[in-house]
Amino acid sequence: MTGSAHLRELGEFLKHRRGELTPAQVGLPERAHTQRRVQGLRREEVAELAAISTDYYVRIEQGRLAPSPPVLDSLARELRLDADQRTYAEGLVAQAARAGHRKAAPRRSARPTAHPHLIRLLGQLTATPAIVFGPRLDILAWNPLAAELLCDFAAVPEPERNYVRMVFTDPVMRDIYPDWEDVARTCVEVLRMEAGTNPTDPALTALVGELAVADQHFRAWWAEHRVAHQDFGSKRIAHSTVGELTLDWDTFRYAGAPEQQLVLWSADPGTPDAERLAALARGTAQKP
């Protein structure tokens, strides 16, 4: 079936979400004298809640049928999907529909180069750590302060210069993030969200396969099919020179290269975090 990769992912996603709910959570009575053989809700229970036939739901979960918008809305409501999860599910259905109306999916380049305008902007940002990310959170470019804050990206071979890969495989990243598990979990959820747009992307498939073998945490968290979309947040960083600081980060998507995003790190003026960041910037500027 055309677009079946998206629908199979949708089915797996819904299966995991129903596995996280109990009948009591969705207002269904526990049936007396019934041994539950599955964790969470049964397929027929989800179908009952969504007011569709069990066969209809089974075909959705098996990736053989795209739910109609009203059915998807009902499933999202009954499975208690949050905003990011609903966006993810709707995106998979939309991608499947688009795939059915084109001869072949466009081939994504393995690794684009940062847009020249973004590179120019990086050179002008001397007091703000900045990184340009591409698809799959590939690190395409950065300024000296970002390298001083996190790590020497230039020392990482270009094919391995991926933020998610580094978070899971580079010991330095585990040292600089006191909340490493939260950071790593979010990486997996963001990567899973991106996978919904192109689940057959060979570079993404290779990255997931590599990390699933390399790290048991990644393997377990990827299997949970959790998703997240984040354009801003904050992270604690344990820096060897200026000490621990908490910085806000914000993502800006560039219209001239839609798959590239500029991430900036900052702190409220006058705070100890801002003072430490300024000290780091001064030290970076003095380096030859």
Side-chain angles (χ1 to χ4, degrees), residues 155-252:
V156 180
E158 184 175 340
E160 300 174 11
R161 209 175 287 156
N162 174 276
Y163 185 71
V164 183
R165 176 188 281 112
M166 292 176 66
V167 165
F168 278 95
T169 64
D170 190 337
V172 171
M173 302 298 274
R174 296 183 185 244
D175 291 337
I176 66 174
Y177 286 131
D179 305 313
W180 178 86
E181 183 170 324
D182 291 339
V183 172
R185 275 185 175 273
T186 300
C187 281
V188 175
E189 293 168 6
V190 170
L191 196 64
R192 172 66 78 174
M193 177 70 89
E194 172 155 342
T197 65
N198 193 359
T200 58
D201 176 12
L204 178 61
T205 301
L207 176 63
V208 170
E210 174 193 342
L211 295 179
V213 172
D215 190 278
Q216 62 179 352
H217 293 100
F218 181 92
R219 185 165 59 250
W221 296 336
W222 185 261
E224 292 176 355
H225 286 252
R226 295 187 177 277
V227 295
H229 176 81
Q230 288 198 334
D231 286 326
F232 61 91
S234 63
K235 286 187 176 70
R236 285 199 303 146
I237 298 172
H239 197 273
S240 59
T241 302
V242 298
E244 186 174 299
L245 65 168
T246 298
L247 298 179
D248 298 323
W249 59 269
D250 294 272
T251 298
F252 301 90

XYZ file of all heavy atoms in Angstrom, residues 155-252:
791
model
N 36.339 18.660 16.174
C 37.111 17.445 16.432
C 36.298 16.184 16.163
O 36.852 15.076 16.158
C 37.608 17.442 17.877
N 34.993 16.346 15.947
C 34.124 15.197 15.666
C 34.061 14.998 14.154
O 33.781 15.952 13.415
C 32.699 15.437 16.225
C 31.799 14.250 15.925
C 32.762 15.712 17.725
N 34.330 13.800 13.646
C 34.238 13.571 12.199
C 32.866 13.992 11.676
O 31.848 13.735 12.326
C 34.454 12.059 12.063
C 35.242 11.687 13.280
C 34.750 12.580 14.381
N 32.833 14.629 10.537
C 31.583 15.180 10.020
C 30.444 14.160 9.948
O 29.317 14.474 10.332
C 31.806 15.819 8.646
C 30.565 16.499 8.103
C 30.822 17.240 6.805
O 31.987 17.556 6.514
O 29.846 17.499 6.083
N 30.684 12.922 9.482
C 29.571 11.963 9.431
C 28.995 11.639 10.807
O 27.858 11.155 10.913
C 30.210 10.718 8.793
C 31.397 11.232 8.059
C 31.912 12.366 8.883
N 29.761 11.875 11.875
C 29.303 11.574 13.227
C 28.825 12.827 13.956
O 28.463 12.757 15.136
C 30.437 10.926 14.024
C 30.939 9.629 13.415
C 32.148 9.076 14.137
O 32.476 9.592 15.232
O 32.784 8.150 13.605
N 28.787 13.948 13.246
C 28.460 15.225 13.884
C 26.939 15.390 13.940
O 26.339 16.219 13.254
C 29.125 16.352 13.111
C 29.481 17.586 13.938
C 30.228 18.582 13.095
N 31.600 18.153 12.812
C 32.312 18.557 11.776
N 31.772 19.380 10.882
N 33.550 18.136 11.604
N 26.339 14.611 14.798
C 24.895 14.629 15.003
C 24.633 14.767 16.498
O 25.227 14.053 17.315
C 24.269 13.339 14.455
C 22.788 13.236 14.760
O 22.398 12.797 15.839
N 21.957 13.615 13.820
N 23.748 15.688 16.857
C 23.538 16.002 18.269
C 23.024 14.790 19.057
O 23.496 14.511 20.156
C 22.559 17.164 18.392
C 22.350 17.652 19.803
C 23.344 18.347 20.487
C 21.146 17.425 20.469
C 23.154 18.803 21.775
C 20.944 17.876 21.759
C 21.951 18.558 22.404
O 21.764 18.996 23.690
N 22.082 14.056 18.491
C 21.533 12.894 19.197
C 22.616 11.834 19.373
O 22.764 11.254 20.454
C 20.322 12.309 18.449
C 19.717 11.155 19.246
C 19.278 13.385 18.189
N 23.371 11.564 18.320
C 24.445 10.580 18.419
C 25.445 10.996 19.503
O 25.888 10.158 20.299
C 25.160 10.432 17.080
C 26.363 9.471 17.160
C 27.189 9.475 15.899
N 26.566 8.678 14.854
C 26.049 9.167 13.743
N 26.074 10.481 13.535
N 25.503 8.387 12.840
N 25.802 12.263 19.535
C 26.780 12.719 20.513
C 26.240 12.619 21.936
O 26.968 12.253 22.866
C 27.206 14.153 20.190
C 28.006 14.269 18.895
S 28.410 15.984 18.466
C 29.521 16.378 19.822
N 24.973 12.948 22.122
C 24.381 12.857 23.456
C 24.458 11.432 23.995
O 24.708 11.209 25.186
C 22.918 13.358 23.434
C 22.167 12.932 24.688
C 22.881 14.870 23.297
N 24.294 10.454 23.117
C 24.268 9.059 23.568
C 25.630 8.378 23.540
O 25.837 7.398 24.256
C 23.273 8.254 22.725
C 21.852 8.405 23.179
C 21.015 9.335 22.586
C 21.348 7.629 24.212
C 19.710 9.501 23.006
C 20.039 7.778 24.641
C 19.216 8.715 24.036
N 26.554 8.860 22.723
C 27.813 8.115 22.574
C 29.052 8.863 23.039
O 30.101 8.242 23.213
C 28.022 7.712 21.095
O 28.169 8.890 20.295
C 26.845 6.888 20.580
N 28.964 10.165 23.237
C 30.132 10.950 23.642
C 30.101 11.151 25.158
O 29.199 11.822 25.678
C 30.134 12.298 22.931
C 31.452 13.050 23.122
O 32.157 12.770 24.107
O 31.759 13.916 22.283
N 31.058 10.599 25.891
C 31.078 10.769 27.360
C 31.091 12.223 27.800
O 30.584 12.551 28.877
C 32.359 10.045 27.776
C 32.653 9.089 26.667
C 32.169 9.764 25.426
N 31.647 13.103 26.981
C 31.693 14.523 27.330
C 30.279 15.081 27.506
O 30.009 15.872 28.419
C 32.451 15.322 26.253
C 32.317 16.823 26.489
C 33.921 14.916 26.231
N 29.357 14.666 26.653
C 27.994 15.169 26.730
C 27.304 14.715 28.014
O 26.491 15.448 28.586
C 27.199 14.717 25.503
C 27.794 15.146 24.180
S 27.868 16.952 23.981
C 26.247 17.271 23.323
N 27.636 13.543 28.475
C 27.058 13.076 29.748
C 27.619 13.870 30.913
O 26.936 14.069 31.928
C 27.323 11.583 29.928
C 26.639 10.718 28.866
C 26.876 9.235 29.120
N 26.334 8.424 28.043
C 25.345 7.541 28.176
N 24.786 7.361 29.362
N 24.916 6.841 27.143
N 28.847 14.343 30.771
C 29.465 15.118 31.848
C 28.905 16.533 31.914
O 28.718 17.081 33.001
C 30.984 15.175 31.661
C 31.661 13.825 31.886
O 31.057 12.982 32.580
O 32.761 13.636 31.363
N 28.660 17.142 30.761
C 28.252 18.548 30.780
C 26.768 18.735 31.091
O 26.355 19.836 31.459
C 28.596 19.260 29.455
C 27.779 18.688 28.300
C 30.074 19.197 29.174
C 27.963 19.452 27.014
N 25.968 17.674 30.918
C 24.545 17.788 31.221
C 24.232 17.072 32.534
O 24.098 15.841 32.561
C 23.700 17.175 30.100
C 23.638 17.998 28.836
C 23.871 17.408 27.601
C 23.338 19.356 28.877
C 23.805 18.160 26.428
C 23.276 20.112 27.712
C 23.512 19.502 26.497
O 23.449 20.242 25.343
N 24.097 17.786 33.654
C 23.721 17.131 34.909
C 22.392 16.382 34.806
O 22.176 15.385 35.491
C 23.626 18.303 35.907
C 24.500 19.373 35.320
C 24.347 19.231 33.833
N 21.492 16.896 33.947
C 20.195 16.241 33.727
C 20.240 15.440 32.427
O 19.334 15.542 31.592
C 19.085 17.296 33.675
C 19.073 18.182 34.915
O 19.153 17.637 36.027
O 19.012 19.421 34.758
N 21.275 14.636 32.282
C 21.496 13.948 31.010
C 20.292 13.110 30.595
O 19.916 13.100 29.419
C 22.728 13.039 31.099
C 22.955 12.271 29.830
C 23.630 12.684 28.722
C 22.448 10.960 29.510
N 23.586 11.731 27.732
C 22.872 10.664 28.190
C 21.685 10.020 30.211
C 22.556 9.455 27.565
C 21.365 8.815 29.581
C 21.797 8.543 28.271
N 19.679 12.405 31.515
C 18.578 11.523 31.128
C 17.424 12.321 30.528
O 16.825 11.902 29.525
C 18.088 10.717 32.326
C 16.977 9.730 31.960
C 16.651 8.750 33.071
O 17.585 8.339 33.787
O 15.472 8.396 33.214
N 17.097 13.479 31.104
C 16.028 14.309 30.543
C 16.401 14.808 29.157
O 15.573 14.812 28.239
C 15.755 15.501 31.465
C 15.112 15.096 32.783
O 14.530 14.000 32.842
O 15.216 15.874 33.752
N 17.654 15.240 29.000
C 18.116 15.716 27.694
C 18.051 14.596 26.664
O 17.575 14.784 25.536
C 19.555 16.260 27.801
C 20.125 16.583 26.417
C 19.594 17.498 28.691
N 18.516 13.410 27.045
C 18.559 12.281 26.118
C 17.154 11.818 25.734
O 16.884 11.514 24.563
C 19.346 11.130 26.750
N 16.261 11.755 26.705
C 14.875 11.364 26.403
C 14.239 12.334 25.413
O 13.552 11.926 24.469
C 14.043 11.325 27.684
C 14.134 10.020 28.466
C 13.182 10.050 29.643
N 13.132 8.799 30.356
C 12.335 7.787 30.037
N 11.543 7.887 28.985
N 12.338 6.670 30.740
N 14.467 13.631 25.629
C 13.903 14.622 24.724
C 14.469 14.470 23.323
O 13.745 14.606 22.327
C 14.175 16.039 25.252
O 13.574 16.191 26.538
C 13.610 17.091 24.313
N 15.755 14.166 23.229
C 16.369 13.923 21.914
C 15.646 12.802 21.174
O 15.355 12.912 19.977
C 17.842 13.562 22.084
S 18.946 14.947 22.370
N 15.356 11.730 21.871
C 14.671 10.592 21.254
C 13.275 11.004 20.796
O 12.842 10.661 19.682
C 14.593 9.410 22.240
C 13.762 8.275 21.648
C 15.985 8.910 22.585
N 12.574 11.750 21.623
C 11.210 12.153 21.284
C 11.185 13.116 20.099
O 10.312 13.021 19.231
C 10.553 12.778 22.512
C 10.327 11.770 23.637
C 9.938 12.409 24.955
O 9.724 13.651 24.968
O 9.851 11.693 25.968
N 12.144 14.029 20.033
C 12.225 14.961 18.908
C 12.586 14.211 17.627
O 12.039 14.471 16.549
C 13.249 16.076 19.197
C 13.524 16.898 17.948
C 12.754 16.969 20.331
N 13.504 13.259 17.742
C 13.896 12.467 16.574
C 12.726 11.622 16.081
O 12.518 11.477 14.883
C 15.080 11.570 16.935
C 15.855 10.960 15.766
C 16.523 12.040 14.942
C 16.903 9.969 16.282
N 11.946 11.075 16.998
C 10.771 10.285 16.618
C 9.748 11.176 15.925
O 9.112 10.756 14.953
C 10.176 9.635 17.862
C 8.842 8.945 17.651
C 8.929 7.733 16.747
N 9.465 6.567 17.434
C 9.524 5.353 16.879
N 9.090 5.171 15.638
N 10.044 4.332 17.530
N 9.593 12.408 16.397
C 8.672 13.334 15.741
C 9.109 13.582 14.303
O 8.288 13.588 13.382
C 8.621 14.654 16.522
C 7.744 15.722 15.896
S 5.975 15.352 15.991
C 5.578 16.099 17.580
N 10.410 13.768 14.093
C 10.909 13.981 12.736
C 10.720 12.743 11.872
O 10.454 12.840 10.676
C 12.383 14.387 12.741
C 12.962 14.420 11.354
C 14.161 15.337 11.210
O 14.375 16.197 12.060
O 14.870 15.170 10.213
N 10.856 11.578 12.478
C 10.696 10.332 11.719
C 9.306 10.237 11.107
O 9.115 9.574 10.081
C 10.953 9.128 12.618
N 8.333 10.908 11.711
C 6.988 10.871 11.169
C 6.878 11.532 9.811
O 6.000 11.188 9.020
N 7.762 12.489 9.515
C 7.708 13.160 8.223
C 8.336 12.327 7.115
O 7.994 12.481 5.951
C 8.421 14.527 8.283
O 9.814 14.321 8.539
C 7.835 15.386 9.389
N 9.257 11.456 7.481
C 9.939 10.647 6.470
C 10.457 9.356 7.108
O 11.662 9.198 7.320
C 11.093 11.442 5.849
C 11.631 10.778 4.592
O 11.161 9.721 4.182
N 12.640 11.394 3.978
N 9.568 8.420 7.432
C 9.992 7.204 8.129
C 10.891 6.292 7.316
O 11.509 5.384 7.871
C 8.656 6.511 8.458
C 7.697 7.035 7.448
C 8.119 8.448 7.177
N 10.995 6.532 6.005
C 11.870 5.696 5.177
C 13.200 6.379 4.875
O 13.965 5.882 4.055
C 11.165 5.338 3.854
O 10.819 6.552 3.164
C 9.900 4.538 4.112
N 13.479 7.503 5.516
C 14.741 8.212 5.320
C 15.895 7.271 5.679
O 16.037 6.863 6.827
C 14.758 9.453 6.210
C 16.085 10.202 6.154
O 16.907 9.897 5.274
O 16.295 11.089 6.997
N 16.742 6.911 4.702
C 17.807 5.934 4.987
C 18.811 6.417 6.023
O 19.307 5.630 6.827
C 18.464 5.703 3.624
C 18.083 6.883 2.788
C 16.745 7.316 3.284
N 19.111 7.733 6.028
C 20.064 8.246 7.009
C 19.487 8.169 8.416
O 20.193 7.849 9.375
C 20.447 9.686 6.666
N 18.193 8.442 8.549
C 17.544 8.341 9.855
C 17.483 6.893 10.310
O 17.753 6.576 11.479
C 16.140 8.938 9.787
C 15.325 8.864 11.074
C 16.013 9.622 12.194
C 13.918 9.419 10.846
N 17.157 6.006 9.389
C 17.106 4.581 9.721
C 18.464 4.085 10.202
O 18.562 3.333 11.181
C 16.658 3.765 8.497
O 15.358 4.208 8.082
C 16.611 2.282 8.814
N 19.522 4.526 9.523
C 20.875 4.122 9.915
C 21.232 4.668 11.292
O 21.831 3.966 12.121
C 21.890 4.597 8.873
N 20.864 5.925 11.565
C 21.159 6.531 12.861
C 20.434 5.798 13.984
O 21.031 5.474 15.016
C 20.746 8.005 12.845
C 20.895 8.768 14.161
C 22.362 8.821 14.591
C 20.317 10.180 14.030
N 19.160 5.522 13.781
C 18.380 4.817 14.804
C 18.945 3.425 15.044
O 19.089 2.976 16.189
C 16.898 4.745 14.396
C 16.127 3.812 15.332
C 16.274 6.132 14.405
N 19.283 2.738 13.970
C 19.854 1.399 14.123
C 21.167 1.417 14.876
O 21.406 0.573 15.756
N 22.014 2.380 14.557
C 23.305 2.505 15.237
C 23.124 2.753 16.729
O 23.764 2.105 17.568
C 24.102 3.640 14.612
C 25.401 3.959 15.338
C 26.014 5.264 14.900
O 25.651 5.768 13.818
O 26.860 5.807 15.645
N 22.258 3.691 17.067
C 22.088 4.048 18.472
C 21.343 2.967 19.252
O 21.583 2.776 20.448
C 21.357 5.385 18.583
C 22.124 6.587 18.024
C 21.311 7.864 18.169
C 23.477 6.727 18.718
N 20.448 2.248 18.591
C 19.746 1.161 19.264
C 20.713 0.055 19.673
O 20.535 -0.594 20.715
C 18.647 0.605 18.361
N 21.721 -0.164 18.857
C 22.738 -1.164 19.186
C 23.698 -0.632 20.243
O 24.108 -1.361 21.159
C 23.516 -1.579 17.914
C 24.708 -2.465 18.280
C 22.594 -2.317 16.948
N 24.023 0.659 20.152
C 25.065 1.228 21.006
C 24.599 1.529 22.423
O 25.408 1.500 23.362
C 25.615 2.502 20.375
N 23.311 1.818 22.609
C 22.862 2.287 23.919
C 21.506 1.690 24.288
O 20.537 1.830 23.542
C 22.774 3.815 23.914
C 22.559 4.394 25.294
O 21.400 4.409 25.749
O 23.545 4.812 25.940
N 21.456 1.053 25.434
C 20.224 0.400 25.861
C 19.124 1.408 26.201
O 17.932 1.124 26.024
C 20.486 -0.490 27.075
C 20.986 0.241 28.313
C 21.210 -0.703 29.484
O 20.849 -1.872 29.419
N 21.808 -0.191 30.548
N 19.523 2.590 26.685
C 18.530 3.611 26.980
C 17.837 4.062 25.691
O 16.615 4.170 25.641
C 19.179 4.814 27.664
C 19.696 4.532 29.034
N 21.023 4.290 29.288
C 19.064 4.441 30.224
C 21.190 4.078 30.579
N 20.023 4.160 31.171
N 18.640 4.338 24.668
C 18.039 4.753 23.400
C 17.102 3.668 22.890
O 15.982 3.958 22.445
C 19.127 5.029 22.360
C 18.561 5.477 21.033
C 18.386 6.822 20.765
C 18.180 4.553 20.057
C 17.850 7.252 19.552
C 17.641 4.967 18.854
C 17.476 6.320 18.603
N 17.551 2.437 22.951
C 16.750 1.322 22.437
C 15.394 1.253 23.148
O 14.348 1.088 22.511
C 17.529 0.015 22.621
C 16.859 -1.217 22.023
C 17.850 -2.367 21.919
N 18.426 -2.740 23.206
C 19.694 -2.523 23.559
N 20.526 -1.913 22.727
N 20.150 -2.904 24.739
N 15.413 1.396 24.467
C 14.170 1.306 25.233
C 13.264 2.506 24.982
O 12.046 2.360 24.801
C 14.489 1.184 26.720
N 13.859 3.703 24.940
C 13.046 4.909 24.764
C 12.494 5.017 23.354
O 11.367 5.486 23.156
C 13.865 6.146 25.122
C 14.277 6.175 26.566
C 13.658 5.539 27.606
C 15.407 6.847 27.133
N 14.334 5.774 28.783
C 15.415 6.574 28.528
C 16.417 7.652 26.610
C 16.379 7.089 29.395
C 17.381 8.170 27.464
C 17.359 7.890 28.845
N 13.257 4.596 22.357
C 12.746 4.617 20.980
C 11.542 3.689 20.853
O 10.571 4.008 20.146
C 13.842 4.220 20.004
C 13.431 4.334 18.566
C 13.005 3.332 17.745
C 13.393 5.538 17.782
N 12.704 3.826 16.501
C 12.935 5.179 16.489
C 13.705 6.866 18.049
C 12.780 6.116 15.478
C 13.547 7.804 17.030
C 13.084 7.425 15.766
N 11.584 2.572 21.522
C 10.491 1.604 21.439
C 9.206 2.119 22.081
O 8.129 1.577 21.827
C 10.908 0.293 22.107
N 9.304 3.157 22.890
C 8.114 3.709 23.536
C 7.273 4.574 22.596
O 6.136 4.916 22.923
C 8.521 4.547 24.754
C 9.114 3.721 25.898
C 9.601 4.592 27.035
O 9.567 5.851 26.890
O 10.013 4.044 28.067
N 7.826 4.939 21.449
C 7.100 5.738 20.449
C 6.578 7.051 21.033
O 5.476 7.503 20.711
C 5.938 4.937 19.851
C 6.373 3.871 18.888
N 6.188 3.949 17.534
C 7.005 2.688 19.103
C 6.683 2.872 16.948
N 7.177 2.092 17.887
N 7.354 7.692 21.883
C 6.972 9.002 22.409
C 7.513 10.094 21.488
O 8.572 9.930 20.890
C 7.502 9.200 23.829
C 6.881 8.244 24.828
C 7.292 8.575 26.264
N 6.634 7.702 27.199
C 5.404 7.868 27.663
N 4.708 8.927 27.253
N 4.860 7.020 28.502
N 6.780 11.194 21.400
C 7.167 12.274 20.495
C 7.122 13.611 21.225
O 6.413 13.774 22.223
C 6.240 12.332 19.263
C 6.398 11.082 18.421
C 4.788 12.527 19.678
N 7.893 14.554 20.715
C 7.894 15.906 21.273
C 8.323 16.892 20.195
O 9.117 16.559 19.316
C 8.837 16.004 22.472
N 7.771 18.071 20.282
C 8.192 19.182 19.407
C 8.607 20.314 20.328
O 7.801 20.788 21.139
C 7.056 19.633 18.496
C 7.400 20.819 17.659
N 8.117 20.721 16.490
C 7.149 22.141 17.841
C 8.284 21.922 15.972
N 7.706 22.797 16.778
N 9.850 20.732 20.239
C 10.347 21.777 21.120
C 11.036 22.875 20.331
O 11.923 22.602 19.515
C 11.328 21.193 22.143
C 10.666 20.342 23.212
C 11.553 20.155 24.421
O 12.768 20.224 24.322
N 10.949 19.929 25.564
N 10.611 24.107 20.565
C 11.251 25.262 19.944
C 11.992 26.113 20.957
O 12.672 27.077 20.582
C 10.215 26.130 19.225
C 9.738 25.488 17.932
O 10.556 24.808 17.278
O 8.559 25.660 17.583
N 11.851 25.798 22.234
C 12.551 26.548 23.272
C 12.597 25.702 24.539
O 11.899 24.696 24.666
C 11.843 27.886 23.561
C 10.426 27.718 24.051
C 10.152 27.621 25.405
C 9.370 27.650 23.158
C 8.856 27.457 25.855
C 8.068 27.483 23.596
C 7.808 27.384 24.953
N 13.441 26.098 25.460
C 13.562 25.381 26.722
C 14.758 25.889 27.493
O 15.295 26.974 27.204
N 15.198 25.149 28.484
C 16.383 25.519 29.256
C 17.153 24.257 29.610
O 16.566 23.171 29.703
C 16.002 26.292 30.528
O 15.231 25.476 31.387
N 18.451 24.411 29.786
C 19.308 23.284 30.139
C 20.344 23.726 31.159
O 20.869 24.842 31.092
C 20.023 22.720 28.903
C 19.150 21.906 27.970
C 20.000 21.259 26.884
C 19.170 20.341 25.989
N 18.258 21.088 25.140
N 20.636 22.815 32.086
C 21.749 23.031 33.008
C 23.018 22.488 32.378
O 23.020 21.391 31.820
C 21.498 22.314 34.337
C 20.489 22.990 35.237
C 20.649 22.498 36.677
N 20.512 21.046 36.787
C 21.188 20.301 37.648
N 22.090 20.852 38.461
N 20.995 18.989 37.705
N 24.069 23.252 32.469
C 25.346 22.863 31.884
C 26.424 22.961 32.951
O 26.550 23.993 33.626
C 25.702 23.753 30.680
C 24.660 23.591 29.579
C 27.100 23.423 30.150
C 24.814 24.555 28.438
N 27.166 21.891 33.124
C 28.288 21.882 34.072
C 29.559 22.149 33.281
O 30.113 21.238 32.654
C 28.355 20.540 34.793
N 30.015 23.400 33.298
C 31.170 23.777 32.490
C 32.444 23.710 33.318
O 32.478 24.140 34.478
C 30.995 25.188 31.924
C 31.912 25.492 30.799
N 33.185 25.979 30.988
C 31.754 25.352 29.456
C 33.763 26.144 29.821
N 32.919 25.769 28.862
N 33.502 23.206 32.730
C 34.754 22.991 33.464
C 35.455 24.292 33.826
O 36.266 24.325 34.755
C 35.700 22.113 32.628
O 35.986 22.736 31.385
N 35.151 25.376 33.123
C 35.840 26.649 33.374
C 35.022 27.614 34.221
O 35.520 28.159 35.215
C 36.197 27.338 32.041
O 37.012 26.463 31.262
C 36.935 28.644 32.288
N 33.780 27.858 33.848
C 32.978 28.873 34.544
C 32.016 28.276 35.553
O 31.303 29.005 36.248
C 32.201 29.741 33.531
C 33.167 30.479 32.624
C 31.220 28.898 32.717
N 31.958 26.966 35.641
C 31.059 26.324 36.601
C 29.685 26.052 36.011
O 29.463 26.186 34.808
N 28.753 25.691 36.875
C 27.414 25.322 36.401
C 26.596 26.564 36.071
O 26.609 27.550 36.804
C 26.689 24.492 37.461
C 25.347 23.966 36.978
C 24.685 23.016 37.965
O 25.287 21.952 38.253
O 23.589 23.348 38.445
N 25.895 26.498 34.956
C 25.001 27.588 34.567
C 23.787 27.019 33.865
O 23.851 25.956 33.236
C 25.714 28.599 33.681
C 26.219 28.227 32.290
C 26.606 29.470 31.515
C 27.422 27.294 32.341
N 22.679 27.700 34.008
C 21.438 27.310 33.343
C 21.135 28.330 32.257
O 21.035 29.532 32.535
C 20.270 27.250 34.338
O 20.549 26.264 35.333
C 18.977 26.872 33.618
N 20.998 27.849 31.030
C 20.766 28.735 29.890
C 19.445 28.389 29.203
O 19.056 27.219 29.138
C 21.908 28.622 28.880
C 23.302 29.026 29.359
C 24.316 28.821 28.247
C 23.319 30.453 29.862
N 18.798 29.420 28.713
C 17.619 29.223 27.870
C 18.082 29.021 26.436
O 19.087 29.589 26.015
C 16.695 30.445 27.939
C 16.161 30.687 29.339
O 15.874 29.704 30.039
O 16.050 31.866 29.722
N 17.358 28.194 25.701
C 17.662 28.037 24.282
C 16.390 28.249 23.467
O 15.288 27.911 23.901
C 18.274 26.664 23.986
C 17.403 25.495 24.363
C 17.380 24.833 25.549
C 16.420 24.863 23.538
N 16.448 23.829 25.529
C 15.841 23.816 24.301
C 15.977 25.064 22.237
C 14.828 22.993 23.814
C 14.971 24.241 21.735
C 14.422 23.209 22.523
N 16.554 28.863 22.313
C 15.428 29.156 21.423
C 15.790 28.758 20.001
O 16.926 28.936 19.558
C 15.091 30.643 21.468
C 14.562 31.079 22.825
O 13.342 30.994 23.027
O 15.374 31.482 23.671
N 14.808 28.221 19.310
C 15.002 27.752 17.941
C 14.342 28.702 16.951
O 13.193 29.110 17.144
C 14.399 26.341 17.772
O 15.077 25.434 18.633
C 14.534 25.864 16.333
N 15.073 29.034 15.901
C 14.550 29.900 14.847
C 14.698 29.161 13.513
O 15.804 28.814 13.110
C 15.315 31.225 14.815
C 15.238 31.986 16.113
C 16.190 31.772 17.104
C 14.207 32.883 16.353
C 16.119 32.456 18.308
C 14.126 33.564 17.553
C 15.080 33.351 18.539
